[in-house]
Amino acid sequence: MDYQLRLATVADEPVLRDLIARSIRELGADDYSPAQIEAALLGAFGVDTQLIRDQTYFVIEAASGEIVGCGGWSRRKTLFGSDTREVRDDSWLDPVKDAARIRAFFIDSRHARRGLGRMLLDRCEAEAARAGFTEFALMATLPGKRLYEVCGYVGDESIEHPLPGGLHITFVPMTKRRAQ
């Protein structure tokens, strides 16, 4: 199947909200409970419109024009989360001393394991490198961790991120230095 990668636009937001929810519900079901997923969709997962406005968020379209993947990078300090996440720091990172943030990767389960995550990651790393970053950081979901490890990311100890309703979800902070 033929896929095209392009910058996300504000007009894509409703489709992205649906894609993100569908992706984590289907691809995250082996790693997280339904209650964790639904609670995480209230802030930890979702659309971050700042990435769209910064023109650092991408979508992948199938030949039909359907959006089947999304992901991006950021030069801002916020590491993960949607517009509704309470803890955000939209101040700028310094490419000399800070790692660019790899953010919000979600793939439609019908298009999973076809190299789309790697396509997004390659584009994000290349764009961040052009902006002067030599290191990348992300907060991996458990299903996403497998992709990032294959692509050279190294994980720290997992963390338990608090969610609404007294729940927690496991994430793994990961980093990668750009090959010189």
Side-chain angles (χ1 to χ4, degrees):
M1 187 173 273
D2 189 31
Y3 296 99
Q4 297 293 322
L5 189 143
R6 67 166 173 82
L7 278 172
T9 67
V10 173
D12 295 324
E13 281 183 62
V15 174
L16 293 174
R17 263 192 229 81
D18 291 343
L19 169 65
I20 290 167
R22 196 171 60 252
S23 174
I24 193 59
R25 285 178 181 136
E26 294 170 6
L27 297 176
D30 289 340
D31 296 295
Y32 302 125
S33 73
Q36 286 174 305
I37 291 169
E38 296 310 312
L41 284 167
L42 298 175
F45 302 141
V47 178
D48 183 341
T49 55
Q50 184 66 60
L51 298 174
I52 295 171
R53 288 190 304 276
D54 287 345
Q55 296 189 321
T56 59
Y57 202 63
F58 302 95
V59 297
I60 296 177
E61 293 179 325
S64 65
E66 177 187 15
I67 295 175
V68 298
C70 58
W73 72 279
S74 182
R75 41 177 86 85
R76 296 180 186 272
K77 290 186 179 178
T78 296
L79 185 57
F80 71 97
S82 71
D83 287 346
T84 60
R85 183 164 178 248
E86 292 177 15
V87 181
R88 298 180 58 84
D89 183 349
D90 287 333
S91 60
W92 295 102
L93 297 165
D94 179 350
V96 173
K97 64 179 182 169
D98 297 319
R101 306 309 196 224
I102 302 298
R103 302 276 318 274
F105 277 49
F106 296 93
I107 305 295
D108 185 306
S109 65
R110 295 170 297 152
H111 297 267
R113 293 164 194 78
R114 297 184 188 183
L116 301 183
R118 188 180 296 260
M119 178 193 302
L120 282 166
L121 193 56
D122 288 347
R123 176 68 176 267
C124 291
E125 289 177 358
E127 297 266 339
R130 276 195 282 286
F133 289 92
T134 58
E135 189 172 3
F136 315 109
L138 56 87
M139 187 65 76
T141 61
L142 294 178
K145 179 179 178 273
R146 296 182 273 279
L147 164 69
Y148 300 124
E149 285 175 334
V150 168
C151 293
Y153 283 77
V154 177
D156 293 330
E157 293 294 316
S158 63
I159 66 157
E160 294 298 317
H161 177 70
L163 298 172
L167 297 171
H168 290 83
I169 194 163
T170 305
F171 290 140
V172 181
M174 301 183 84
T175 59
K176 176 182 175 181
R177 290 209 53 83
R178 184 179 66 157
Q180 299 296 335

